[in-house]
Coordinates of all heavy atoms in Angstrom, one line a residue:
M109 N 0.8 -1.2 0.0 CA 0.0 0.0 0.0 C 0.9 1.2 0.0 O 1.8 1.4 0.9 CB -0.9 0.0 1.3 CG -1.6 1.2 1.5 SD -2.6 1.2 3.1 CE -3.4 -0.4 3.0
P110 N 0.7 2.1 -1.0 CA 1.6 3.3 -1.0 C 1.3 4.3 0.2 O 0.1 4.5 0.5 CB 1.2 4.0 -2.3 CG 0.6 2.8 -3.2 CD -0.1 2.0 -2.2
V111 N 2.4 4.7 0.7 CA 2.3 5.7 1.8 C 3.3 6.8 1.6 O 4.2 6.6 0.7 CB 2.6 5.1 3.2 CG1 1.5 4.1 3.6 CG2 3.9 4.4 3.3
H112 N 3.2 7.9 2.3 CA 4.2 9.0 2.2 C 4.3 9.7 3.5 O 3.4 9.6 4.4 CB 3.9 9.9 1.0 CG 2.6 10.7 1.3 ND1 1.4 10.3 0.9 CD2 2.5 12.0 1.8 CE1 0.5 11.2 1.2 NE2 1.1 12.2 1.8
A113 N 5.4 10.4 3.7 CA 5.6 11.3 4.9 C 6.2 12.6 4.4 O 7.0 12.6 3.5 CB 6.5 10.6 5.8
D114 N 5.6 13.7 5.0 CA 6.2 15.0 4.7 C 6.9 15.4 5.9 O 6.4 15.5 7.0 CB 5.0 16.0 4.4 CG 4.3 15.7 3.1 OD1 5.0 15.3 2.1 OD2 3.1 15.8 3.0
Y115 N 8.2 15.7 5.7 CA 9.0 16.1 6.9 C 10.1 17.0 6.4 O 10.8 16.7 5.4 CB 9.7 14.9 7.6 CG 10.4 15.3 8.8 CD1 9.8 15.7 10.0 CD2 11.8 15.3 8.8 CE1 10.5 16.1 11.1 CE2 12.6 15.8 9.9 CZ 11.9 16.1 11.0 OH 12.6 16.6 12.1
A116 N 10.3 18.1 7.1 CA 11.4 19.1 6.8 C 11.4 19.6 5.4 O 12.4 19.8 4.8 CB 12.7 18.5 7.2
G117 N 10.2 19.7 4.8 CA 10.1 20.2 3.4 C 10.3 19.2 2.4 O 10.4 19.5 1.2
Y118 N 10.4 17.9 2.8 CA 10.6 16.8 1.8 C 9.5 15.8 1.9 O 9.0 15.5 3.0 CB 11.9 16.1 2.1 CG 13.1 17.0 2.0 CD1 13.7 17.6 3.0 CD2 13.7 17.1 0.7 CE1 14.8 18.5 2.9 CE2 14.9 17.9 0.6 CZ 15.4 18.6 1.7 OH 16.4 19.4 1.5
R119 N 9.1 15.2 0.8 CA 8.1 14.1 0.8 C 8.9 12.8 0.5 O 9.6 12.7 -0.5 CB 7.0 14.3 -0.2 CG 6.1 13.2 -0.2 CD 4.8 13.5 -1.0 NE 4.0 14.3 -0.1 CZ 2.7 14.6 -0.4 NH1 2.1 14.1 -1.5 NH2 2.0 15.4 0.5
T120 N 8.7 11.8 1.4 CA 9.3 10.5 1.2 C 8.2 9.5 0.9 O 7.2 9.5 1.7 CB 10.1 10.1 2.4 OG1 11.1 11.1 2.7 CG2 10.7 8.7 2.3
H121 N 8.3 8.8 -0.2 CA 7.3 7.7 -0.5 C 7.8 6.4 -0.1 O 9.0 6.1 -0.1 CB 7.1 7.7 -2.0 CG 6.4 9.0 -2.5 ND1 7.1 10.0 -3.0 CD2 5.1 9.3 -2.5 CE1 6.2 11.0 -3.3 NE2 5.0 10.6 -3.0
G122 N 6.8 5.5 0.3 CA 7.1 4.2 0.7 C 6.0 3.2 0.4 O 4.9 3.6 -0.1
L123 N 6.2 2.0 0.7 CA 5.2 0.9 0.6 C 5.0 0.4 2.0 O 6.0 0.0 2.6 CB 5.6 -0.2 -0.4 CG 5.5 0.2 -1.8 CD1 6.0 -1.0 -2.7 CD2 4.1 0.6 -2.3
Y124 N 3.8 0.3 2.5 CA 3.5 -0.3 3.7 C 3.1 -1.7 3.4 O 2.2 -2.0 2.6 CB 2.3 0.4 4.4 CG 1.7 -0.3 5.6 CD1 2.5 -0.5 6.7 CD2 0.4 -0.7 5.6 CE1 2.0 -1.2 7.8 CE2 -0.1 -1.4 6.7 CZ 0.7 -1.6 7.8 OH 0.2 -2.3 8.9
I125 N 3.7 -2.7 4.1 CA 3.4 -4.1 3.9 C 2.7 -4.5 5.2 O 3.3 -4.7 6.3 CB 4.7 -4.9 3.7 CG1 5.4 -4.4 2.4 CG2 4.4 -6.4 3.6 CD1 6.8 -4.0 2.6
P126 N 1.4 -4.7 5.1 CA 0.6 -4.9 6.3 C 0.9 -6.2 7.2 O 0.9 -6.0 8.4 CB -0.9 -5.1 5.8 CG -0.9 -4.5 4.4 CD 0.6 -4.7 3.9
G127 N 1.2 -7.3 6.6 CA 1.4 -8.5 7.4 C 2.4 -8.3 8.5 O 2.2 -8.4 9.7
P128 N 3.7 -8.0 8.1 CA 4.7 -7.7 9.1 C 4.8 -6.3 9.5 O 5.6 -5.9 10.3 CB 6.0 -8.1 8.4 CG 5.7 -7.9 6.9 CD 4.2 -8.2 6.8
A129 N 3.9 -5.4 9.0 CA 3.9 -4.0 9.3 C 5.2 -3.3 9.0 O 5.7 -2.5 9.7 CB 3.5 -3.7 10.8
R130 N 5.7 -3.6 7.8 CA 7.0 -3.0 7.4 C 6.8 -1.9 6.4 O 5.7 -1.8 5.8 CB 7.9 -4.1 6.7 CG 8.3 -5.1 7.6 CD 9.4 -6.0 6.9 NE 9.8 -7.0 8.0 CZ 10.2 -8.2 7.7 NH1 10.1 -8.7 6.5 NH2 10.6 -9.0 8.7
I131 N 7.8 -1.0 6.3 CA 7.8 0.1 5.4 C 9.1 -0.1 4.5 O 10.2 -0.2 5.0 CB 7.9 1.4 6.1 CG1 6.6 1.7 7.0 CG2 8.1 2.6 5.0 CD1 5.4 2.2 6.3
E132 N 8.8 0.0 3.2 CA 10.0 0.0 2.2 C 10.0 1.4 1.6 O 8.9 1.8 1.0 CB 9.8 -1.1 1.2 CG 10.9 -1.0 0.1 CD 10.7 -2.0 -1.0 OE1 9.9 -2.9 -0.9 OE2 11.4 -1.9 -2.0
I133 N 11.1 2.1 1.7 CA 11.2 3.4 1.1 C 11.4 3.2 -0.4 O 12.2 2.5 -0.9 CB 12.4 4.2 1.7 CG1 12.3 4.2 3.2 CG2 12.5 5.6 1.1 CD1 11.0 4.9 3.8
T134 N 10.6 4.0 -1.2 CA 10.6 3.8 -2.7 C 11.2 5.0 -3.4 O 11.2 5.0 -4.7 CB 9.2 3.6 -3.2 OG1 8.3 4.6 -2.8 CG2 8.7 2.2 -2.6
D135 N 11.6 6.1 -2.7 CA 12.3 7.2 -3.4 C 13.1 8.0 -2.5 O 13.1 7.7 -1.3 CB 11.3 8.1 -4.1 CG 10.5 9.0 -3.2 OD1 10.6 8.8 -2.0 OD2 9.8 9.9 -3.6
G136 N 13.9 8.9 -3.0 CA 14.7 9.7 -2.2 C 16.0 9.0 -1.7 O 16.4 7.9 -2.2
P137 N 16.7 9.7 -0.8 CA 18.0 9.2 -0.3 C 18.0 7.8 0.4 O 19.0 7.2 0.5 CB 18.5 10.3 0.6 CG 17.5 11.3 0.7 CD 16.4 11.0 -0.2
L138 N 16.8 7.4 0.9 CA 16.7 6.2 1.6 C 16.1 5.1 0.7 O 15.7 4.0 1.2 CB 15.8 6.4 2.9 CG 16.4 7.4 3.9 CD1 15.4 7.6 5.0 CD2 17.8 6.9 4.4
V139 N 16.0 5.3 -0.6 CA 15.3 4.4 -1.5 C 15.9 3.0 -1.3 O 17.1 2.8 -1.2 CB 15.4 4.8 -3.0 CG1 16.8 4.8 -3.5 CG2 14.5 4.0 -3.8
G140 N 15.0 2.0 -1.3 CA 15.4 0.6 -1.2 C 15.6 0.1 0.2 O 15.6 -1.2 0.4
K141 N 15.6 0.9 1.2 CA 15.7 0.5 2.6 C 14.4 0.0 3.1 O 13.3 0.5 2.8 CB 16.2 1.6 3.5 CG 17.6 2.0 3.1 CD 18.3 2.7 4.3 CE 19.7 3.1 3.8 NZ 20.7 2.4 4.4
V142 N 14.4 -1.1 3.8 CA 13.2 -1.7 4.4 C 13.3 -1.7 5.9 O 14.4 -2.0 6.5 CB 13.0 -3.2 3.9 CG1 11.8 -3.8 4.5 CG2 13.0 -3.2 2.4
F143 N 12.3 -1.2 6.6 CA 12.3 -1.1 8.0 C 11.2 -2.0 8.6 O 10.1 -2.2 8.1 CB 12.0 0.4 8.4 CG 13.1 1.3 7.9 CD1 12.9 1.9 6.6 CD2 14.2 1.5 8.6 CE1 13.9 2.7 6.1 CE2 15.2 2.4 8.1 CZ 15.1 2.9 6.9
K144 N 11.5 -2.5 9.8 CA 10.7 -3.5 10.5 C 9.4 -2.9 11.0 O 8.5 -3.7 11.4 CB 11.5 -4.2 11.6 CG 12.6 -5.1 11.1 CD 13.2 -5.8 12.2 CE 14.3 -6.7 11.7 NZ 14.9 -7.5 12.7
S145 N 9.3 -1.6 11.0 CA 8.1 -1.0 11.6 C 7.9 0.4 11.0 O 9.0 1.0 10.6 CB 8.1 -0.9 13.1 OG 9.1 0.1 13.5
P146 N 6.7 1.0 11.0 CA 6.6 2.4 10.6 C 7.4 3.3 11.4 O 7.9 4.3 10.9 CB 5.1 2.6 10.7 CG 4.5 1.2 10.5 CD 5.4 0.3 11.2
T147 N 7.5 3.0 12.7 CA 8.3 3.9 13.6 C 9.8 3.9 13.2 O 10.4 5.0 13.2 CB 8.1 3.5 15.1 OG1 6.7 3.7 15.4 CG2 8.9 4.3 16.0
A148 N 10.3 2.7 12.9 CA 11.7 2.7 12.5 C 11.9 3.5 11.2 O 13.0 4.2 11.1 CB 12.2 1.2 12.4
A149 N 11.0 3.4 10.3 CA 11.1 4.1 9.1 C 11.0 5.6 9.3 O 11.8 6.4 8.7 CB 10.1 3.7 8.1
A150 N 10.1 6.0 10.2 CA 9.9 7.4 10.5 C 11.2 8.0 11.1 O 11.7 9.1 10.8 CB 8.8 7.6 11.4
R151 N 11.8 7.3 12.0 CA 13.0 7.7 12.7 C 14.2 7.8 11.7 O 15.0 8.8 11.8 CB 13.4 6.7 13.8 CG 12.4 6.9 15.0 CD 12.7 5.9 16.1 NE 11.8 6.0 17.2 CZ 11.8 5.3 18.3 NH1 12.6 4.3 18.4 NH2 10.9 5.5 19.2
A152 N 14.2 6.9 10.7 CA 15.3 7.0 9.7 C 15.1 8.3 8.9 O 16.1 9.0 8.5 CB 15.3 5.8 8.8
V153 N 13.9 8.6 8.5 CA 13.6 9.8 7.7 C 14.0 11.1 8.5 O 14.7 11.9 8.0 CB 12.1 9.9 7.3 CG1 11.8 11.2 6.7 CG2 11.8 8.8 6.3
V154 N 13.6 11.1 9.8 CA 13.9 12.3 10.6 C 15.4 12.4 10.8 O 16.0 13.5 10.6 CB 13.2 12.2 12.0 CG1 13.7 13.2 12.9 CG2 11.7 12.3 11.8
S155 N 16.1 11.3 11.1 CA 17.5 11.3 11.3 C 18.3 11.7 10.0 O 19.3 12.4 10.1 CB 18.0 9.9 11.7 OG 17.6 9.6 13.0
H156 N 17.7 11.4 8.8 CA 18.4 11.8 7.6 C 18.3 13.3 7.4 O 19.3 13.9 7.0 CB 17.8 11.0 6.4 CG 18.4 11.5 5.1 ND1 19.7 11.1 4.7 CD2 18.0 12.4 4.2 CE1 20.0 11.6 3.6 NE2 19.0 12.4 3.2
Y157 N 17.1 13.8 7.5 CA 16.9 15.2 7.1 C 17.2 16.2 8.3 O 17.6 17.3 8.0 CB 15.5 15.5 6.7 CG 15.2 14.8 5.3 CD1 14.3 13.8 5.2 CD2 15.8 15.3 4.2 CE1 14.1 13.2 3.9 CE2 15.6 14.8 3.0 CZ 14.8 13.7 2.8 OH 14.6 13.2 1.6
R158 N 17.2 15.7 9.5 CA 17.5 16.6 10.6 C 18.3 15.8 11.7 O 17.7 15.4 12.7 CB 16.2 17.1 11.3 CG 15.4 18.0 10.4 CD 15.9 19.5 10.4 NE 15.4 20.3 9.5 CZ 14.4 21.1 9.6 NH1 13.7 21.2 10.8 NH2 14.0 21.9 8.6
P159 N 19.5 15.5 11.4 CA 20.3 14.7 12.3 C 20.5 15.2 13.7 O 20.7 14.4 14.6 CB 21.6 14.5 11.6 CG 21.7 15.5 10.6 CD 20.3 16.0 10.3
T160 N 20.3 16.5 13.9 CA 20.5 17.1 15.3 C 19.2 17.1 16.1 O 19.2 17.4 17.2 CB 21.0 18.5 15.2 OG1 20.1 19.3 14.4 CG2 22.4 18.5 14.5
V161 N 18.1 16.7 15.5 CA 16.8 16.7 16.1 C 16.5 15.2 16.7 O 16.9 14.3 16.0 CB 15.7 17.1 15.1 CG1 14.3 16.9 15.7 CG2 15.9 18.5 14.7
S162 N 15.8 15.2 17.8 CA 15.5 13.9 18.3 C 14.6 13.1 17.3 O 13.6 13.7 16.8 CB 14.7 14.0 19.6 OG 14.1 12.7 20.0
A163 N 15.0 11.9 17.0 CA 14.3 11.1 15.9 C 13.0 10.4 16.5 O 12.4 9.7 15.7 CB 15.2 10.2 15.3
H164 N 12.8 10.5 17.8 CA 11.6 9.8 18.3 C 10.3 10.2 17.7 O 10.0 11.4 17.8 CB 11.6 9.9 19.9 CG 12.7 9.3 20.5 ND1 12.8 7.9 20.8 CD2 13.9 9.7 20.9 CE1 13.9 7.6 21.3 NE2 14.6 8.7 21.4
R165 N 9.7 9.3 17.1 CA 8.4 9.6 16.4 C 7.5 8.4 16.5 O 8.0 7.2 16.5 CB 8.6 9.9 14.9 CG 9.4 11.1 14.5 CD 8.6 12.4 14.9 NE 9.3 13.6 14.5 CZ 10.3 14.2 15.2 NH1 10.8 13.6 16.3 NH2 10.8 15.3 14.7
N166 N 6.2 8.6 16.4 CA 5.2 7.5 16.3 C 5.0 7.3 14.8 O 4.4 8.1 14.2 CB 3.9 7.9 17.0 CG 2.8 6.9 16.8 OD1 2.9 6.0 15.9 ND2 1.9 6.9 17.7
G167 N 5.6 6.2 14.3 CA 5.5 6.0 12.9 C 4.1 5.8 12.3 O 3.8 6.2 11.2
W168 N 3.2 5.3 13.2 CA 1.8 5.2 12.7 C 1.1 6.5 12.4 O 0.3 6.6 11.6 CB 1.0 4.4 13.7 CG 1.5 3.0 13.9 CD1 2.4 2.5 14.8 CD2 1.3 1.9 13.0 NE1 2.7 1.2 14.6 CE2 2.0 0.8 13.5 CE3 0.5 1.7 11.8 CZ2 2.0 -0.5 12.8 CZ3 0.5 0.5 11.2 CH2 1.2 -0.6 11.7
A169 N 1.6 7.5 13.1 CA 1.0 8.9 12.9 C 1.9 9.6 11.9 O 1.4 10.6 11.2 CB 1.0 9.7 14.2
F170 N 3.1 9.3 11.7 CA 4.0 10.0 10.8 C 3.7 9.7 9.3 O 3.8 10.6 8.5 CB 5.5 9.5 11.1 CG 6.6 10.2 10.4 CD1 7.1 11.4 10.9 CD2 7.2 9.6 9.3 CE1 8.1 12.0 10.3 CE2 8.2 10.3 8.6 CZ 8.7 11.5 9.1
W171 N 3.3 8.5 9.0 CA 3.1 8.1 7.6 C 1.6 8.3 7.3 O 0.7 8.1 8.1 CB 3.4 6.6 7.4 CG 4.9 6.4 7.5 CD1 5.6 6.0 8.6 CD2 5.9 6.7 6.6 NE1 6.9 5.9 8.4 CE2 7.1 6.4 7.1 CE3 5.9 7.1 5.3 CZ2 8.3 6.5 6.4 CZ3 7.0 7.3 4.6 CH2 8.3 6.9 5.1
T172 N 1.3 8.7 6.0 CA 0.0 8.9 5.5 C -0.3 7.9 4.4 O 0.6 7.7 3.5 CB -0.1 10.4 5.0 OG1 0.1 11.3 6.0 CG2 -1.5 10.6 4.4
V173 N -1.5 7.4 4.3 CA -1.9 6.5 3.2 C -2.1 7.4 2.0 O -3.0 8.3 2.1 CB -3.1 5.7 3.6 CG1 -3.6 4.9 2.4 CG2 -2.9 4.8 4.8
T174 N -1.4 7.2 1.0 CA -1.4 8.1 -0.2 C -2.8 8.2 -0.8 O -3.2 9.3 -1.2 CB -0.3 7.7 -1.2 OG1 1.0 7.8 -0.5 CG2 -0.3 8.6 -2.4
A175 N -3.4 7.1 -1.0 CA -4.7 7.0 -1.7 C -5.8 7.8 -1.0 O -6.7 8.4 -1.6 CB -5.1 5.6 -2.0
T176 N -5.8 7.7 0.4 CA -6.9 8.3 1.1 C -6.5 9.5 1.9 O -7.4 10.2 2.5 CB -7.5 7.2 2.1 OG1 -6.4 6.8 3.0 CG2 -8.0 6.0 1.3
H177 N -5.2 9.8 2.0 CA -4.7 10.9 2.8 C -5.1 10.8 4.3 O -5.2 11.9 5.0 CB -5.2 12.2 2.2 CG -4.8 12.4 0.8 ND1 -3.5 12.7 0.4 CD2 -5.6 12.3 -0.4 CE1 -3.5 12.7 -1.0 NE2 -4.7 12.5 -1.4
V178 N -5.2 9.6 4.8 CA -5.4 9.4 6.3 C -4.1 8.9 6.9 O -3.4 8.2 6.2 CB -6.6 8.5 6.6 CG1 -7.9 9.1 6.0 CG2 -6.4 7.1 6.1
P179 N -3.9 9.2 8.2 CA -2.7 8.6 8.8 C -2.8 7.1 8.8 O -3.8 6.5 8.9 CB -2.9 9.1 10.3 CG -3.8 10.3 10.2 CD -4.7 10.0 9.0
L180 N -1.6 6.5 8.7 CA -1.5 5.1 8.7 C -2.1 4.4 9.9 O -2.7 3.4 9.8 CB 0.0 4.7 8.6 CG 0.3 3.2 8.4 CD1 -0.4 2.7 7.1 CD2 1.8 3.0 8.3
Q181 N -2.1 5.1 11.0 CA -2.7 4.6 12.2 C -4.2 4.3 12.1 O -4.8 3.5 12.8 CB -2.5 5.5 13.4 CG -3.2 6.8 13.4 CD -2.7 7.8 14.5 OE1 -1.9 7.4 15.3 NE2 -3.3 9.0 14.5
N182 N -4.9 5.0 11.1 CA -6.3 4.8 10.9 C -6.6 3.4 10.4 O -7.8 2.9 10.5 CB -6.9 5.8 10.0 CG -7.0 7.2 10.7 OD1 -6.4 7.4 11.7 ND2 -7.8 8.1 10.1
I183 N -5.6 2.8 9.7 CA -5.9 1.4 9.2 C -5.1 0.4 9.9 O -5.0 -0.8 9.5 CB -5.6 1.4 7.7 CG1 -4.1 1.7 7.4 CG2 -6.4 2.4 6.9 CD1 -3.6 1.1 6.1
R184 N -4.5 0.7 11.0 CA -3.5 -0.2 11.7 C -4.2 -1.5 12.0 O -3.5 -2.6 11.8 CB -3.1 0.5 13.0 CG -2.0 -0.3 13.7 CD -1.5 0.5 14.9 NE -0.4 -0.2 15.5 CZ 0.3 0.2 16.5 NH1 0.0 1.4 17.1 NH2 1.2 -0.5 17.0
Y185 N -5.4 -1.6 12.4 CA -6.0 -2.9 12.8 C -7.0 -3.4 11.8 O -7.7 -4.3 12.1 CB -6.6 -2.7 14.2 CG -5.6 -2.3 15.2 CD1 -5.6 -1.0 15.8 CD2 -4.6 -3.2 15.6 CE1 -4.6 -0.7 16.8 CE2 -3.7 -2.8 16.6 CZ -3.7 -1.6 17.1 OH -2.7 -1.2 18.1
Q186 N -7.0 -2.9 10.6 CA -7.9 -3.4 9.6 C -7.2 -4.6 8.9 O -6.0 -4.6 8.8 CB -8.2 -2.4 8.5 CG -9.0 -1.2 9.0 CD -9.3 -0.2 7.9 OE1 -8.8 -0.3 6.8 NE2 -10.0 0.8 8.3
P187 N -8.0 -5.6 8.5 CA -7.4 -6.7 7.9 C -6.7 -6.3 6.5 O -7.2 -5.4 5.9 CB -8.5 -7.7 7.6 CG -9.8 -7.0 8.0 CD -9.4 -5.7 8.7
A188 N -5.7 -7.0 6.2 CA -5.0 -6.7 4.9 C -5.8 -6.9 3.7 O -6.7 -7.6 3.6 CB -3.7 -7.6 4.8

């Protein structure tokens, strides 16, 4: 499922894989990286663009479902 995150003036696109709740980054400087959770992916994006800022983020709120423009957390417990 395509997702994106807007942070520090940059948009990062990714794919959310519901079964294991992974995020694969599909563009930008982190392209090709796969993260075990939306939170790990969010922290990587924050660390990349703002390395001096605390990277602690709730990944479920950080990522947006591209097709519906709702936070990923809105579909967190829906079946795949």
Side-chain angles (χ1 to χ4, degrees):
M109 169 183 315
V111 295
H112 67 273
D114 293 320
Y115 183 74
Y118 298 93
R119 177 166 284 191
T120 301
H121 292 94
L123 289 175
Y124 169 65
I125 300 125
R130 290 190 177 146
I131 298 274
E132 177 182 349
I133 305 298
T134 58
D135 73 351
L138 300 173
V139 68
K141 296 203 180 251
V142 179
F143 298 91
K144 292 183 179 184
S145 70
T147 296
R151 289 177 179 176
V153 169
V154 171
S155 292
H156 176 78
Y157 289 113
R158 295 278 169 94
T160 61
V161 172
S162 172
H164 292 280
R165 297 290 185 278
N166 176 338
W168 295 100
F170 188 83
W171 294 97
T172 299
V173 178
T174 300
T176 59
H177 303 286
V178 300
L180 187 57
Q181 67 189 1
N182 287 16
I183 64 155
R184 185 175 186 176
Y185 298 111
Q186 291 179 0

